[in-house]
Amino acid sequence: MKLGIVGCGTIGAEVARAVFAGKLSGYELCGFHDLNEKQATSLSRSLDGRVPVLTLEQLIEISDLVFEATAKAAMPDIVDRAIHHRKSVVTMSVGGFVDRPDLIEKAEAHGVNLFLPSGALGGIDALLAGKEAGLERVMLTTTKNPRSLQGAPYLINKGITLDGIDKPMVIFTGTAREAIEGFPANANVAITLSIAGIGMDRTSVVIIADPEIKRTKQEIFAEGPFGIIHTITEGIVAPGNARTGYLAILSAIAVLRRLACSIRVGT
């Protein structure tokens, strides 16, 4: 399967290296694209220059599967173009669905597969199963070190500074839709949870800044006729990138492995 990677940052680069090293059988890297062409070129050179740097249109045209790892603002156009060319997409920047919820229906109408990795969340399988009986309440509590939250639009707009805090501080409560708008680099998991569950406007989100926390903590609480789902995931950040969870990278690789495998475990 020809795999084209759009977005050559931490996640895209790690996926590329996994494929190039033969850790993901069934795939062939066919091209890279990034708005920062130097970043794409650097990744290509690190892989002996065998993978070409292409325009977005060129990459989508020759790919069997497009892997998107860019940003909330860039994702909709990438997915839209892939749908137009009827190419399946693994998308990491699920926050983009807030601005373009029609993309999900458009993909279904065109027979295009969209794959959304669970990222840093545990319990998505249980949530999907519980949804069959009905979900009455879904809440996500995210606890992060202040350094990974710096620069978030919500903090800037509210004039909130996290410098020097010495104990856990609740910095946001609201819906998943509000969370991704205020924390576009931190709240993709809230949108993944929303799409799997009861939607962006019914999913509650709490974000906590904790200067003592060593691992990013994602806690899901869901309730319905099936009972209660309560999961806690504590993940380390990716080496060299405090804004990306290592588990999100592994989740992306796991999705690709699952797509190429005839045996599938889980809901």
Side-chain angles (χ1 to χ4, degrees):
M1 191 184 305
K2 292 183 178 180
L3 180 68
I5 294 181
V6 184
C8 300
T10 302
I11 296 177
E14 288 301 317
V15 168
R17 293 186 185 109
V19 175
F20 190 78
K23 296 178 181 178
L24 281 170
S25 60
Y27 294 97
E28 172 193 350
L29 289 173
C30 65
F32 297 137
H33 174 79
D34 198 298
L35 288 178
N36 182 346
E37 190 172 340
K38 288 183 179 179
Q39 186 162 257
T41 300
S42 176
L43 177 58
S44 178
R45 287 174 178 168
S46 74
L47 303 179
D48 297 334
R50 300 180 192 177
V51 184
V53 175
L54 305 170
T55 67
L56 179 58
E57 200 70 18
Q58 288 172 334
L59 182 140
I60 291 174
E61 285 180 355
I62 68 171
S63 299
D64 297 316
L65 177 65
V66 177
F67 182 86
E68 178 277 326
T70 58
K72 171 182 176 289
M75 182 276 266
D77 180 57
I78 296 163
V79 173
D80 202 11
R81 291 199 200 188
I83 292 172
H84 175 75
H85 288 280
R86 287 176 165 74
K87 301 298 177 74
S88 297
V89 186
V90 175
T91 180
M92 301 300 294
S93 308
V94 294
F97 288 119
V98 173
D99 300 319
R100 289 289 307 278
D102 62 295
L103 288 174
I104 295 176
E105 293 181 1
K106 189 173 182 179
E108 291 178 343
H110 286 75
V112 172
N113 293 317
L114 295 181
F115 302 103
L116 282 60
S118 54
L121 291 179
I124 292 294
D125 274 12
L127 191 77
L128 289 170
K131 188 177 179 179
E132 295 299 319
L135 293 165
E136 296 167 356
R137 178 187 175 200
V138 179
M139 179 177 179
L140 172 68
T141 302
T142 295
T143 305
K144 291 195 170 194
N145 191 284
R147 66 175 178 272
S148 66
L149 295 164
Q150 297 289 358
Y154 180 87
L155 299 179
I156 294 172
N157 293 338
K158 296 288 185 179
I160 299 173
T161 178
L162 301 180
D163 296 335
I165 66 170
D166 56 5
K167 61 183 179 180
M169 173 181 174
V170 175
I171 58 173
F172 173 85
T173 58
T175 66
R177 185 186 301 277
E178 294 166 339
I180 192 65
E181 292 297 338
F183 299 86
N186 303 102
N188 268 302
V189 290
I191 303 305
T192 302
L193 186 66
S194 299
I195 293 172
I198 56 177
M200 302 176 199
D201 297 312
R202 292 181 59 201
T203 302
S204 301
V205 177
V206 175
I207 298 177
I208 300 171
D210 183 351
E212 298 298 324
I213 199 167
K214 298 279 192 297
R215 301 183 180 94
T216 297
K217 182 177 178 182
Q218 308 285 3
E219 184 173 1
I220 296 173
F221 181 90
E223 191 172 8
F226 56 86
I228 290 174
I229 297 168
H230 185 197
T231 69
I232 297 176
T233 306
E234 295 186 19
I236 65 172
V237 297
N241 189 340
R243 295 181 183 275
T244 300
Y246 185 39
L247 196 59
I249 297 172
L250 299 177
S251 175
I253 293 172
V255 164
L256 292 173
R257 189 181 305 282
R258 187 179 187 188
L259 292 178
C261 183
S262 59
I263 299 172
R264 304 187 181 187
V265 180
T267 301

